[in-house]
Amino acid sequence: MGAKKENSDDEMDEKVKKYLRGEAANLEGLKDKKLKGQLAVREDLYGKSAKTAAKIEKWLLPSEGGYLEAEGIEKTWRIKQESIAREVDILSSRNQYDIVLPELGPYSLDFTSNGRYMAAAGRKGHLAIVDMKTLNLIKEIQVRETVRDVAYLHNELFFAAAQKKYPYIYNRDGTELHCLKEHGAVLRLQFLKNHFLLASINKFGQLRYQDVTMGEMIGNFRTGLGRTDVMQVNPYNGVVALGHSSGTVTMWKPTSAVPLVKMLSHPGPVSSLAFHPNGHVMATSGRENKIKIWDLRKFEVIQTLPCHAKTLNFSQKGLLAAGTGSFIQILADFSGSQNYSSYMTHSMAKGYQVGKVLFRPYEDVLGIGHSMGWSSILIPGSGEPNFDSWVANPFETSKQRREKEVHSLLDKLPPETIMLDPTKVGTVRAAQKKEKPTKKEIEAEMEAAIETAKDTDFKKKTKGRNKPSKRATKRREMISRAKRPFLEQRTQEHETSRKKQKTEMPKSLQRFVRQKAT
């Protein structure tokens, strides 16, 4: 029993070390008692938070994510999907498949936030909903017109499809619920789940936001940068990013008619972009065969990779998938220094053209929409191993789904909360500098003070002290007393302006300035 306790204590100490911020500061040499006390309290707080994080990891995060590890001179990017399929369990091996529908492609995909359901949209009008746990086809419909994109709304019961003329909203049974005619011929759709907003960009370069709870159009803006089909939402702050043919990336919010950020990212057209789950890292790819990794806190390029990508996507654990032609490359950053290198590669059958890559949440699976259908491959270490059932539960029942829908509607955020730095929401605005009053305002104040002095009533005093001449003298004194602060302020301003003028003059001319009489 004692040995078991010792082992658990050692295990806990190892976990605590993982969350500590290095060694504690040496406070013995500090002479300032106040600073010493503040730093001691801070160090104690760091220790407590590390212990709490270690306990949470032990009891609430039982599963650990793993990655492919090579032995000797072997490289992980040389390992094929066939080799992985031979080593994994039966349930995982079911996630490797190819659905071949050459007459209906190319396909676009979207997963629900819990990764349980997938919507597939073929360009030739095929729409399908698949349960990814059982791999059962729930519903498929043929809309008999072009479908450019598909996006799930707040849960698996509703999804939006960008069709030839307008986007439509369907329910799980394939019934058409709404036709959003105001959006026009949409090229890309994105759903902001915390704000219940459906964002779309149409072929005329118009960005629209529509509230799906009330049906109200929140924003309608012309980007002014032409047609684009590159669109992505930052999961951290809800800002929508668009990539344009001029090489610029613009970031928008529904309450502003001008972009929040406009940055030149590539010398040629932007072909794709993606956001890291933490929202601070963005990847963009251009037609000049380069992928750039950006730090959005400083808007600087961290890394430039020499490869082309038609589609990009980040996984929950930070892996980056890039697809072009019939080739897919997975880039990983194991050091945590945002230095991405090749982790895995996958080649599709010859002639397959990759249209979209999308990681499935909470699973080590990558979904691929291509010209001949859609496929699924295994990417070890891509999905989050521990799910929070209050956020996204892959095993939720219909009752839990209803409860979650009500709670999410109650917690719905207004469009005004979308901003580049969401930490400012709920903070107190700093006091603004008091503006200097204008000359007219000062004169009006002085006139009001003089009028008040003139209208003053005097007390009736004894004989000889209540003469009209004495009253007039007293009134003049009161008026001059009311004027005095304004006149003093005026002279002070003249003095400061004269000093400023003197300092601004060149040294050669300063001797000609009129000196103040002593």
Side-chain angles (χ1 to χ4, degrees):
M1 193 74 179
K4 276 186 183 179
K5 193 176 181 182
E6 282 178 13
N7 287 337
S8 64
D9 288 343
D10 292 340
E11 190 183 339
M12 186 60 77
D13 290 339
E14 285 295 321
K15 286 185 191 287
V16 168
K17 277 181 188 176
K18 191 167 90 172
Y19 291 102
L20 278 173
R21 304 185 177 197
E23 291 183 9
N26 186 13
L27 306 176
E28 290 179 5
L30 278 176
K31 292 180 181 178
D32 190 340
K33 287 185 179 178
K34 188 178 178 183
L35 179 63
K36 193 175 180 179
Q38 286 175 345
L39 290 175
V41 169
R42 188 62 60 85
E43 288 292 338
D44 186 42
L45 187 66
Y46 287 154
K48 284 179 180 175
S49 62
K51 280 181 184 175
T52 308
K55 281 180 183 176
I56 287 169
E57 185 186 347
K58 184 179 179 181
W59 299 111
L60 299 180
L61 307 175
S63 304
E64 287 186 11
Y67 295 94
L68 279 181
E69 292 181 8
E71 293 180 353
I73 59 169
E74 192 180 20
K75 304 292 182 186
T76 54
W77 51 268
R78 290 185 185 276
I79 298 172
K80 304 289 183 187
Q81 287 294 312
E82 294 80 13
S83 307
I84 296 171
R86 285 196 295 269
E87 302 298 328
V88 297
D89 58 285
I90 296 167
L91 282 174
S92 299
S93 63
R94 289 179 67 192
N95 289 318
Q96 268 187 339
Y97 58 82
D98 285 303
I99 305 294
V100 182
L101 299 164
E103 297 86 11
L104 302 171
Y107 272 82
S108 181
L109 311 174
D110 192 37
F111 292 105
T112 53
S113 58
N114 59 14
R116 176 72 188 263
Y117 298 93
M118 182 189 77
R123 184 61 62 90
K124 303 290 181 3
H126 180 227
L127 293 172
I129 301 171
V130 184
D131 185 340
M132 301 305 289
K133 286 288 176 192
T134 59
L135 292 179
N136 289 336
L137 181 67
I138 295 170
K139 190 70 181 178
E140 65 173 336
I141 55 173
Q142 176 58 255
V143 296
R144 301 192 181 198
E145 64 176 8
T146 305
V147 179
R148 298 187 186 93
D149 198 14
V150 66
Y152 267 113
L153 302 189
H154 55 283
N155 59 25
E156 72 274 10
L157 296 182
F158 307 99
F159 67 94
Q163 293 176 209
K164 187 178 180 181
K165 285 188 176 180
Y166 314 110
Y168 291 82
I169 293 177
Y170 296 93
N171 69 0
R172 189 179 177 177
D173 300 324
T175 308
E176 181 190 315
L177 302 177
H178 301 286
C179 173
L180 310 177
K181 288 190 177 182
E182 291 179 359
H183 290 252
V186 168
L187 300 177
R188 281 288 173 271
L189 290 168
Q190 289 289 321
F191 184 69
L192 287 69
K193 61 180 181 180
N194 294 326
H195 307 83
F196 281 81
L197 294 177
L198 183 65
S200 71
I201 184 82
N202 67 14
K203 64 181 182 182
F204 302 111
Q206 285 180 309
L207 176 66
R208 285 183 168 87
Y209 291 88
Q210 186 155 10
D211 189 334
V212 297
T213 57
M214 306 295 289
E216 183 186 354
M217 188 64 76
I218 302 295
N220 177 11
F221 313 116
R222 277 190 176 275
T223 59
L225 293 165
R227 179 177 174 140
T228 180
D229 62 349
V230 180
M231 180 183 186
Q232 200 61 249
V233 174
N234 189 335
Y236 173 63
N237 51 22
V239 170
V240 170
L242 300 172
H244 302 278
S245 57
S246 58
T248 56
V249 171
T250 54
M251 296 185 187
W252 300 78
K253 66 175 184 177
T255 53
S256 173
V258 292
L260 300 172
V261 177
K262 190 176 180 182
M263 51 193 278
L264 183 66
S265 54
H266 294 273
V270 177
S271 56
S272 183
L273 62 87
F275 287 101
H276 194 281
N278 64 17
H280 302 315
V281 177
M282 179 178 75
T284 61
S285 66
R287 294 287 171 85
E288 79 279 16
N289 293 346
K290 280 183 183 175
I291 294 175
K292 291 184 180 180
I293 311 294
W294 297 80
D295 185 347
L296 293 180
R297 289 165 290 191
K298 298 185 286 184
F299 294 100
E300 288 181 0
V301 178
I302 306 169
Q303 191 182 3
T304 304
L305 300 161
C307 54
H308 177 62
K310 189 184 175 183
T311 172
L312 293 169
N313 190 242
F314 274 103
S315 77
Q316 288 178 314
K317 301 298 281 182
L319 300 185
L320 177 62
T324 180
S326 58
F327 182 72
I328 293 153
Q329 187 175 12
I330 313 298
L331 304 166
D333 165 38
F334 295 116
S335 60
S337 59
Q338 308 301 338
N339 186 21
Y340 283 84
S341 57
S342 186
Y343 172 56
M344 286 182 73
T345 57
H346 179 68
S347 294
M348 306 293 293
K350 195 175 180 183
Y352 284 26
Q353 294 296 309
V354 175
K356 187 171 184 178
V357 291
L358 192 65
F359 282 101
R360 182 177 157 198
Y362 303 103
E363 292 286 347
D364 293 346
V365 172
L366 177 67
I368 306 161
H370 49 79
S371 58
M372 305 294 279
W374 74 85
S375 304
S376 177
I377 59 172
L378 296 175
I379 308 294
S382 65
E384 175 61 49
N386 302 290
F387 64 87
D388 185 350
S389 59
W390 293 103
V391 177
N393 184 4
F395 305 98
E396 72 180 358
T397 60
S398 57
K399 187 179 179 182
Q400 287 172 330
R401 187 187 64 233
R402 286 196 297 271
E403 289 286 328
K404 187 185 170 188
E405 190 171 8
V406 171
H407 281 291
S408 56
L409 281 166
L410 291 171
D411 296 337
K412 175 188 160 187
L413 298 175
E416 291 78 23
T417 57
I418 297 173
M419 56 182 71
L420 285 174
D421 185 10
T423 56
K424 287 182 181 176
V425 176
T427 57
V428 179
R429 184 182 289 175
Q432 293 181 344
K433 263 191 176 180
K434 198 175 180 183
E435 289 185 6
K436 195 177 176 183
T438 59
K439 195 176 180 181
K440 281 185 180 179
E441 287 174 350
I442 293 168
E443 284 178 1
E445 277 184 45
M446 192 166 77
E447 289 293 329
I450 291 166
E451 287 298 321
T452 313
K454 281 181 181 178
D455 296 340
T456 307
D457 291 328
F458 295 107
K459 289 181 181 178
K460 289 187 178 181
K461 296 189 178 180
T462 56
K463 193 177 179 183
R465 297 176 66 189
N466 205 22
K467 288 181 182 179
S469 58
K470 285 196 175 182
R471 278 190 179 189
T473 309
K474 203 163 189 179
R475 203 177 294 278
R476 279 197 298 272
E477 284 176 6
M478 287 181 77
I479 289 168
S480 64
R481 206 179 296 133
K483 279 184 181 180
R484 193 177 297 148
F486 297 99
L487 297 171
E488 283 176 1
Q489 188 182 351
R490 194 182 293 173
T491 53
Q492 197 176 352
E493 282 176 5
H494 280 304
E495 285 293 325
T496 51
S497 64
R498 191 184 291 172
K499 281 179 185 176
K500 197 174 182 184
Q501 190 181 1
K502 189 177 178 181
T503 52
E504 284 175 359
M505 271 193 172
K507 282 188 178 180
S508 57
L509 297 175
Q510 277 183 14
R511 62 197 179 96
F512 298 108
V513 177
R514 186 179 291 173
Q515 300 292 324
K516 193 178 178 181
T518 54

